[in-house]
Amino acid sequence: MEGPVKFVYEVDGENFTSAGEASISIKKNLRLLGYNPNIIRRVAIAMYEGEINMVIHAGGGRATVYIYPDRVEMILEDNGPGIADIELAMSEGYSTAPDKIRNLGFGAGMGLPNMKKNTDEMKIESVLGKGTTITMIVKT
Amino acid sequence: MIISKVAELLDAKVCVGEDRLSDEVSSACGSDMMSDVLAYVKNQAVLLTGLVNPQVVRTAEMMDMRCIVFVRSKIPSDSMLELAKECGIVVMTTKKRMYEACGILYSNGLVSLEKEEEE
Ligand SMILES: Nc1ncnc2c1ncn2[C@@H]1O[C@H](COP(=O)(O)OP(=O)(O)OP(=O)(O)O)[C@@H](O)[C@H]1O
Ligand SMILES: [Mg+2]
């Protein structure tokens, strides 16, 4: 059997302007592969929220996406500060984003719950001071 | 409603997407918080916002929106317009404020489809 199609993106933590480029690229690729628009949208939203989080909370990171015959798997890894209380971070409305970020239209504390809502599986692994890895799966 | 009607009702100037003005849109939402757009919006075709940065265009693209209206005469940058063009999104700017612009579109039949079941 053929292996999955793999895409790797470096997400620049210094550049809020470019945040989202990886998600746009994945969206285009899934369109070319002929996926259902609802599936594509769920992948795009989850990945975009994750990408923005890496930029605003973790100074950037890496996004790796595997496209398998039956699912899309997204792995977002960063070497940021980590998340102290994952359950708290997952609750709607919880955000540590400063006003500067809120003025850019983000920081409502909706991202992680929205990632969970748009994916079939989501796992957060985080070590304080080391970084965070989020794995999400959307069945296709 | 076709997109050119949105521009006409709002007395808006179209910045990119002239070729898509006859596309149909049936719903809209207004927000300056992209977090809320990503989390609550469902199938809206038009985004009205007073926020100007490239993430507005990316958010609209992720949500499969067709048209962005910048209110209060906000001027999008060239790179934002370029991005919108690539994504096939119509961009326009109006002098009207958010409340008025939303009210005009709503009363002319553009509905809101926010996920009420979750309220
Ligand atoms: N990759 C990450 N590294 C470190 N902390 C994170 C990371 N992702 C999320 N967090 C923490 O979890 C909190 C909640 O994240 P969430 O995405 O739900 O909200 P937000 O990013 O603050 O706002 P929004 O997503 O609505 O724009 C963040 O405020 C931050 O404290
Ligand atoms: Mg977030």
Side-chain angles (χ1 to χ4, degrees):
Chain A
M1 219 187 83
E2 278 181 50
V5 184
K6 180 182 180 185
F7 297 91
V8 182
Y9 303 93
E10 299 299 328
V11 177
D12 183 356
E14 303 299 308
N15 192 344
F16 177 77
T17 299
S18 65
E21 278 174 359
S23 310
I24 292 225
S25 166
I26 281 299
K27 191 164 189 187
K28 277 189 190 142
N29 280 298
L30 291 175
R31 267 200 198 125
L32 289 175
L33 292 166
Y35 282 91
N36 162 308
N38 271 325
I39 297 279
I40 298 178
R41 185 180 343 183
R42 285 171 56 208
V43 169
I45 292 173
M47 174 132 169
Y48 181 58
E49 294 272 22
E51 213 184 325
I52 295 272
N53 277 356
M54 286 201 291
V55 174
I56 66 182
H57 304 300
R62 172 179 297 168
T64 310
V65 180
Y66 294 97
I67 303 177
Y68 291 92
D70 63 336
R71 67 186 191 280
V72 177
E73 199 171 308
M74 296 164 264
I75 301 163
L76 307 175
E77 298 161 274
D78 67 59
N79 301 313
I83 302 174
D85 184 339
I86 293 177
E87 202 182 324
L88 180 63
M90 282 296 299
S91 55
E92 288 192 6
Y94 176 81
S95 176
T96 58
D99 283 348
K100 190 181 82 185
I101 296 299
R102 229 153 271 146
N103 291 338
L104 293 168
F106 291 88
M110 297 304 300
L112 289 173
N114 200 26
M115 287 154 74
K116 179 150 184 80
K117 205 165 63 187
N118 280 288
T119 54
D120 293 300
E121 286 171 39
M122 172 168 158
K123 186 175 73 182
I124 304 179
E125 293 155 295
S126 192
V127 179
L128 275 186
K130 285 246 159 85
T132 302
T133 300
I134 300 185
T135 307
M136 296 181 284
I137 293 175
V138 172
K139 294 181 182 145
T140 55
Chain B
M1 179 184 301
I2 59 173
I3 295 179
S4 60
K5 180 79 179 171
V6 174
E8 185 196 315
L9 287 168
L10 299 179
D11 199 7
K13 177 178 164 290
V14 176
C15 309
V16 291
E18 298 277 359
D19 53 324
R20 292 171 189 267
L21 292 180
S22 51
D23 288 5
E24 275 289 331
V25 290
S26 57
S27 59
C29 70
S31 181
D32 288 349
M33 268 314 256
M34 295 305 109
S35 301
D36 288 342
V37 174
L38 287 160
Y40 288 118
V41 167
K42 186 186 177 185
N43 285 324
Q44 267 98 333
V46 182
L47 171 64
L48 294 98
T49 187
L51 182 73
V52 186
N53 70 53
Q55 301 311 337
V56 174
V57 183
R58 292 217 175 84
T59 297
E61 163 66 4
M62 297 308 158
M63 305 302 288
D64 296 320
M65 292 172 142
R66 308 301 348 134
C67 172
I68 301 169
V69 180
F70 290 102
V71 298
R72 283 181 272 122
S73 304
K74 292 285 159 72
I75 309 289
S77 67
D78 290 345
S79 61
M80 288 171 64
L81 294 178
E82 198 52 45
L83 189 58
K85 211 183 213 168
E86 272 170 39
C87 297
I89 296 172
V90 180
V91 175
M92 58 181 87
T93 66
T94 175
K95 285 194 181 125
K96 298 193 191 304
R97 292 174 184 212
M98 179 75 103
Y99 182 72
E100 191 189 358
C102 291
I104 290 171
L105 296 182
Y106 193 90
S107 61
N108 277 277
L110 268 198
V111 296
S112 145
L113 289 172
E114 298 200 22
K115 293 179 182 170
E116 278 138 12
E117 71 269 24
E118 291 186 359
E119 296 303 304

